[in-house]
C-alpha cells in the first residue's frame, strides 16, 4: 500500500531550545490526530536523539538529513547508518540538491549511502530533480532518469520496496516558485513508470513519491490531489508547527 507522507527537512535551522519547542508543539497536536498521513521530521543531526525521544512517545518518525557512505572508522565528522539506527532514527534524506551542489555528492556516492542505509533498515528518502537550465532545455526527464538509474538501479526489488523518492526540481527549492500540480504529476508519473520498467508493478504501485520545492499550506492541497503525488518533502514551511501540520492536513 502506498503511504501518504509529509516529511519536514529543517536543514541547518534552529538552536536547541527552538528545536525542542517545535517538537513539543508537533507532539501536542499529534495527540488528537486520527488521520493516516505519516509525519517525519528531519532535524539537524545534533537534535536527532531529542527528536527520537518524541518518536518513542508519539506517531512521529525521525529522519536524518545525511549519512556517511562508509560503515565505520577514520572518517572525521561523519555519521554512519549504524549510528542513526542506534538512536532510533528511521529515515534519511539522500541526494538532496544542496548536498550535490555544496558538498560534491555524486550519484555514485549516493548509491553507496542508500545501500548502507538499507543494510541498517533505514528508509532512504531519495531526492532527484532537474535544474532550471535543464528544464528549459527540455532535458528534465532525461536528467531525472539518469539520477534514478545511477542511484537506485543497483538495488534488488526487495530493497527498492523500502525506498521513498522525493521529486524536487532544483528551481523550486527555497525559491517560492513551486512546480504546478500538472508539472509535478507529469514527473511523478514519469518516475513511477521508470521504476516500474526496472522493478515491476508491485514496487512501482507501492512506491511513495513526494513532491518538494516551495510546497506550503497554500499550494499543498492542489499538489496532493494529483494521483501520483503521495505527499511532500517540506523545507521552509516545516519550520513552524501551524504551516507544517496544515500541509499534512491538505490531503
Ligand atoms: C527542500 O529543501 O527539501 C525543500 C523542499 O525546500 P523548500 O520547501 O524550502 O523549497
Amino acid at each position: 500500500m502506498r503511504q501518504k507522507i509529509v516529511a519536514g527537512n529543517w536543514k541547518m535551522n534552529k538552536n536547541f531550545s527552538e528545536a525542542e519547542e517545535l517538537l513539543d508543539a508537533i507532539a501536542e497536536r499529534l495527540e488528537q490526530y486520527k488521520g493516516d498521513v505519516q509525519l517525519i521530521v528531519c532535524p539537524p543531526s545534533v537534535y536527532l536523539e531529542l527528536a527520537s525521544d518524541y518518536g518513542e512517545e508519539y506517531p512521529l518518525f525521525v529522519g536524518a538529513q545525511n549519512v556517511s557512505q562508509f560503515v565505520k572508522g577514520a572518517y572525521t565528522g561523519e555519521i554512519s547508518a549504524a549510528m542513526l539506527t542506534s538512536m532510533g532514527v528511521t529515515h534519511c534524506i539522500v541526494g538532496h540538491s544542496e548536498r550535490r551542489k555544496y558538498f560534491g555528492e555524486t550519484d555514485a556516492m549516493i548509491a553507496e549511502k542508500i545501500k548502507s542505509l538499507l543494510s541498517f533498515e533505514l528508509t532512504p528518502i531519495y531526492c532527484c530533480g532537474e535544474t532550471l537550465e535543464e528544464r528549459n532545455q527540455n532535458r528534465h526527464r532525461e536528467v531525472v532518469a539518469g539520477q534514478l538509474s545511477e542511484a537506485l538501479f543497483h538495488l534488488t526489488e526487495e530493497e527498492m520496496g523500502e525506498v521513498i523518492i522525493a521529486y524536487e526540481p532544483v528551481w523550486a527549492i527555497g525559491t517560492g516558485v513551486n512546480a504546478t500540480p500538472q508539472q509535478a504529476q507529469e514527473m511523478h508519473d514519469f518516475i513511477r513508470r521508470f521504476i516500474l520498467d526496472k522493478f515491476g508493478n508491485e514496487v512501482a504501485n507501492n512506491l511513495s513519491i513526494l513532491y518538494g520545492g516551495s510546497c506550503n499550506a497554500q499550494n499543498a492541497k492542489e499538489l496532493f490531489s494529483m494521483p501520483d503525488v503521495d505527499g511532500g518533502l517540506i523545507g521552509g514551511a516545516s519550520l513552524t508547527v501551524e504551516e507544517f501540520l496544515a500541509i499534512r492536513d491538505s490531503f
Side-chain angles (χ1 to χ4, degrees):
M1 251 273 288
R2 234 189 266 176
Q3 175 71 50
K4 294 177 200 159
I5 298 168
V6 170
N9 174 12
W10 294 9
K11 310 195 188 194
M12 198 172 71
N13 290 295
K14 301 209 176 279
N15 63 27
F16 185 81
S17 60
E18 290 165 347
E20 206 170 23
E21 215 173 281
L22 178 54
L23 287 164
D24 263 342
I26 293 172
E28 194 190 310
R29 286 158 172 88
L30 277 172
E31 274 173 6
Q32 302 100 41
Y33 184 63
K34 299 272 184 290
D36 59 352
V37 181
Q38 194 177 90
L39 203 66
I40 307 171
V41 285
C42 305
S45 58
V46 286
Y47 310 139
L48 285 172
E49 193 183 349
L50 172 72
S52 293
D53 290 343
Y54 286 86
E56 272 176 26
E57 260 191 76
Y58 300 91
L60 180 65
F61 292 85
V62 179
Q65 295 175 17
N66 185 29
V67 67
S68 173
Q69 69 267 43
F70 303 112
V71 175
K72 68 185 285 192
Y75 301 103
T76 302
E78 290 292 275
I79 296 172
S80 72
M83 293 172 190
L84 295 177
T85 310
S86 72
M87 285 195 302
V89 172
T90 50
H91 294 71
C92 183
I93 298 171
V94 253
H96 193 281
S97 61
E98 288 153 13
R99 295 220 52 92
R100 294 178 193 260
K101 181 175 173 191
Y102 301 121
F103 303 99
E105 283 194 11
T106 61
D107 282 320
M109 282 162 73
I110 294 163
E112 287 180 41
K113 289 180 180 213
I114 290 174
K115 261 290 189 204
S116 184
L117 288 169
L118 290 168
S119 66
F120 288 93
E121 294 180 5
L122 286 149
T123 302
I125 304 175
Y126 174 61
C127 302
C128 57
E130 79 286 355
T131 63
L132 186 58
E133 195 187 358
E134 289 161 344
R135 177 162 281 263
N136 288 339
Q137 293 166 345
N138 200 26
R139 292 179 51 232
H140 45 294
R141 288 177 217 86
E142 171 201 329
V143 167
V144 168
Q147 291 171 339
L148 294 172
S149 51
E150 284 184 42
L152 299 174
F153 278 17
H154 62 306
L155 302 179
T156 63
E157 237 174 81
E158 197 186 346
E159 287 172 330
M160 186 59 215
E162 301 301 319
V163 175
I164 296 168
I165 292 179
Y167 169 61
E168 297 211 308
V170 180
W171 48 270
I173 296 180
T175 59
V177 181
N178 59 288
T180 63
Q182 293 69 30
Q183 286 172 321
Q185 170 57 26
E186 195 246 323
M187 286 308 287
H188 284 224
D189 174 63
F190 173 79
I191 291 168
R192 201 177 301 283
R193 285 170 199 268
F194 197 74
I195 294 295
L196 187 146
D197 283 347
K198 169 75 181 170
F199 294 100
N201 224 351
E202 197 182 332
V203 171
N205 279 338
N206 291 333
L207 173 68
S208 292
I209 308 178
L210 315 183
Y211 168 76
S214 298
C215 182
N216 57 37
Q218 280 71 52
N219 58 32
K221 201 173 183 62
E222 259 201 284
L223 285 159
F224 295 176
S225 70
M226 295 290 125
D228 287 291
V229 178
D230 306 308
L233 178 56
I234 317 298
S238 71
L239 296 173
T240 60
V241 66
E242 290 78 15
E243 186 88 5
F244 187 46
L245 296 188
I247 294 170
R248 177 201 62 185
D249 295 336
S250 299
F251 275 100

